[in-house]
Amino acid sequence: MNIIHATTIGDCNIIQLPKISDPRGNLTFVEGENHIPFEIKRAYWIYDVPGGEKRGGHAYKTLGEFIIALSGSFDVTLDDGNEKKTFSLNRSYFGLYVPSMVWRTIENYSTNGVTLILASEHYTPENYIRDYAAFITAKGL
Ligand code: TYD
């Protein structure tokens, strides 16, 4: 695994996706390596989140992701070991790009909040860092 440890909050950004407005209903799309800086290898979604619950609470060693609020709203808190920043997502034509080695937590889900996550790698448990102290050590901090 080629781990890039030096990623920071500054490498994370909100990306606005195309929105085709139409009286029949709006349409948005996303293309890997075009709108977002990686090839999409996996998509998963989080839904039916009970009030007050948190998701995430981990970093990935070598995996970038793009987080979209397909429905409703929630907050994504990012932490690079030096700095924390919270992004509120509530529009389905905006997404948050998060590279590897950034700790992230998703919380404050609204009713019907649905998170779509596009990932640059297939699922492997080995790609996760779930222990915050181990994350800080891996960042060299
Ligand atoms: P996890 O990534 O910890 O969820 P979150 O970050 O939203 O809190 O995943 C929860 C469980 O689902 C864990 O047991 C691994 C499993 N899982 C898969 O099997 N495949 C996947 O693509 C994902 C994202 C999770």
Side-chain angles (χ1 to χ4, degrees), residues 42-81:
R42 177 166 54 106
Y44 64 97
W45 44 103
I46 299 168
Y47 53 97
D48 291 347
V49 178
E53 284 294 345
K54 273 188 192 183
R55 298 297 314 221
H58 51 69
Y60 300 104
K61 294 174 189 166
T62 61
L63 183 155
E65 60 183 11
F66 187 62
I67 304 173
I68 304 163
L70 263 198
S71 165
S73 64
F74 49 80
D75 295 335
V76 185
T77 298
L78 304 179
D79 178 350
D80 62 16

Side-chain angles (χ1 to χ4, degrees), residues 1 29 31 33 69 72 81 84 87 96 112 114 118 131:
M1 255 185 216
F29 57 95
E31 294 174 349
E33 298 180 296
K84 277 190 189 183
F87 294 85
L96 176 62
N112 291 329
V114 177
L118 307 176
D131 178 69

Side-chain angles (χ1 to χ4, degrees), residues 10 19 23 39 43 50 52 56 60-61 64 71 79 91 109 123 127 135 140:
K19 179 182 178 190
E39 183 192 344
Y60 300 104
K61 294 174 189 166
S71 165
D79 178 350
R91 293 279 182 270
Y109 274 87
Y123 172 74
N127 214 324
F135 168 70

